[in-house]
Amino acid sequence: MDSIMSKLRNLDAYPKINEDFYSRTLSGGVITLASSIVMFLLFFSELRLYLHAATETKLVVDTSRGETLRINFDVTFPALACSVVSIDAMDISGEQHLDVRHDIIKKRIDSHGNVIETRQDGIGSPTIEKPLQRHGGRLEHNETYCGSCYGAEASDEECCNSCEEVREAYRKKGWGLSNPDEIDQCKREGFLERIKEEDGEGCNMYGFLEVNKVAGNFHFAPGKSFQQSGVHVHDILAFQKESFNLTHHINRIAFGDYFPGVLNPLDRVHWTQKTPSGMYQYFIKVSTLDLCVLHTSFILQR
């Protein structure tokens, strides 16, 4: 053990000078004190810079073409059922995405905000067998199902095999679906029964949209949207209700990819509707160079 300690002492590159060969002075003490303070301050200064990241803001012109912007949203409607509410997106270039369903999740919630069911929008199937064929008879064994579109067919070969497909065919024609009980597909799937079952419930919608980097809007509204004489209309006749409560709470609306430290101005915004019908709009300027200006609208069409 002593031999090991001796070898370690021999490795000392800075051996101490014998006290007989140096003397302590006042100037040396002052220099030692000053240098210690400077080293102490430098250490904590560097430690502070290391622990606190500096934020640097840059303004860069977006020269990209044909790219899209992702809009992430999470909105709760305490008094609007999931079967009623839909979302549309459109921009000044003329591109429209009506009744968007992909990448959208809906949560049915009760009056206390508790989740009843979570489902991806647009998923469902007929619940009663032997549907009505396009030629008028009921579906027979080994026969391919082809339901009628009730005059809204775009071609002689088109089939509407679900209530949603009939509603979509009507939307493309610019027609409103006034009585779903007259549509075999809707009657079999219990369209009105499902709406009545969800009466008094709320809905939490979340997901994302991919939109062009141009001025435009996206909005939530009851009913299925369609174009009629160049006018954007929402069909609410099928729900057989005179008014809808668009009270909403915005949990989150963010643009683009997540970035730490970014503040979303509409997060945790709440609005209560106090009249039988109404419309509420939010205008958001996404780019300071007006390269992309979008606004969100919560709309009720009467």
Side-chain angles (χ1 to χ4, degrees):
M1 185 66 180
D2 293 338
S3 61
I4 295 176
M5 298 298 293
S6 176
K7 291 179 180 179
L8 289 176
R9 282 193 294 270
N10 292 331
L11 292 175
D12 189 358
Y14 304 97
K16 301 296 186 294
I17 301 175
N18 193 296
E19 292 184 1
D20 295 335
F21 299 99
Y22 67 86
S23 62
R24 301 177 186 274
T25 62
L26 177 63
S27 59
V30 172
I31 293 173
T32 300
L33 180 62
S35 60
S36 299
I37 294 174
V38 171
M39 287 187 292
F40 180 82
L41 294 176
L42 288 174
F43 172 77
F44 278 96
S45 175
E46 291 298 321
L47 181 63
R48 184 181 62 84
L49 291 175
Y50 174 76
L51 296 178
H52 296 81
T55 302
E56 183 179 355
T57 302
K58 290 184 179 181
L59 185 64
V60 180
V61 177
D62 187 359
T63 59
S64 60
R65 293 292 184 270
E67 294 186 3
T68 59
L69 175 69
R70 173 171 290 196
I71 304 177
N72 304 286
F73 65 89
D74 184 347
V75 183
T76 300
F77 297 90
L80 198 63
C82 288
S83 59
V84 174
V85 65
S86 64
I87 180 171
D88 303 329
M90 54 194 69
D91 57 51
I92 59 173
S93 68
E95 185 170 330
Q96 299 186 19
H97 302 277
L98 305 180
D99 195 17
V100 180
R101 293 174 176 270
H102 54 83
D103 303 314
I104 307 295
I105 303 297
K106 289 183 177 181
K107 285 184 179 179
R108 292 171 57 191
I109 57 176
D110 60 20
S111 57
H112 302 290
N114 300 317
V115 177
I116 301 173
E117 180 190 17
T118 301
R119 68 170 184 264
Q120 186 169 357
D121 202 10
I123 295 179
S125 60
T127 57
I128 302 177
E129 295 181 353
K130 291 191 175 181
L132 186 66
Q133 287 282 57
R134 182 177 176 179
H135 54 67
R138 290 290 173 179
L139 181 65
E140 299 294 339
H141 183 64
N142 292 331
E143 186 181 10
T144 302
Y145 177 45
C146 180
S148 173
C149 295
Y150 298 88
E153 298 90 348
S155 64
D156 293 337
E157 295 77 21
E158 184 176 1
C159 302
C160 294
N161 295 342
S162 67
C163 182
E164 187 56 41
E165 290 182 3
V166 176
R167 295 181 68 201
E168 180 66 17
Y170 268 56
R171 183 192 68 79
K172 291 178 180 179
K173 284 284 187 179
W175 299 350
L177 187 61
S178 59
N179 190 359
D181 263 349
E182 295 180 356
I183 307 300
D184 179 68
Q185 292 90 325
C186 297
K187 186 176 181 179
R188 288 186 299 104
E189 296 175 17
F191 179 79
L192 290 180
E193 286 76 6
R194 186 169 67 252
I195 293 175
K196 293 177 181 178
E197 178 187 350
E198 297 183 11
D199 189 31
E201 295 180 1
C203 187
N204 170 233
M205 292 183 64
Y206 62 93
F208 64 88
L209 300 170
E210 294 283 351
V211 299
N212 295 323
K213 291 184 177 180
V214 296
N217 76 83
F218 69 99
H219 58 260
F220 301 87
K224 197 173 187 66
S225 56
F226 59 90
Q227 293 292 117
Q228 189 176 63
S229 301
V231 179
H232 184 74
V233 182
H234 283 263
D235 176 23
I236 60 175
L237 295 175
F239 303 111
Q240 301 180 358
K241 292 184 65 175
E242 295 182 355
S243 63
F244 297 90
N245 188 342
L246 294 180
T247 297
H248 58 268
H249 180 81
I250 302 176
N251 305 308
R252 178 172 177 260
I253 287 186
F255 298 86
D257 297 330
Y258 171 76
F259 189 83
V262 173
L263 298 177
N264 302 311
L266 291 182
D267 286 359
R268 294 179 294 278
V269 171
H270 181 79
W271 179 69
T272 302
Q273 179 177 311
K274 299 180 180 179
T275 57
S277 61
M279 177 177 69
Y280 203 80
Q281 301 185 57
Y282 300 90
F283 294 88
I284 307 174
K285 199 170 188 178
V286 178
S287 171
T288 56
L289 297 180
D290 289 337
L291 294 178
C292 181
V293 182
L294 303 102
H295 71 271
T296 68
S297 307
F298 298 88
I299 301 175
L300 172 62
Q301 300 282 357
R302 289 293 303 275

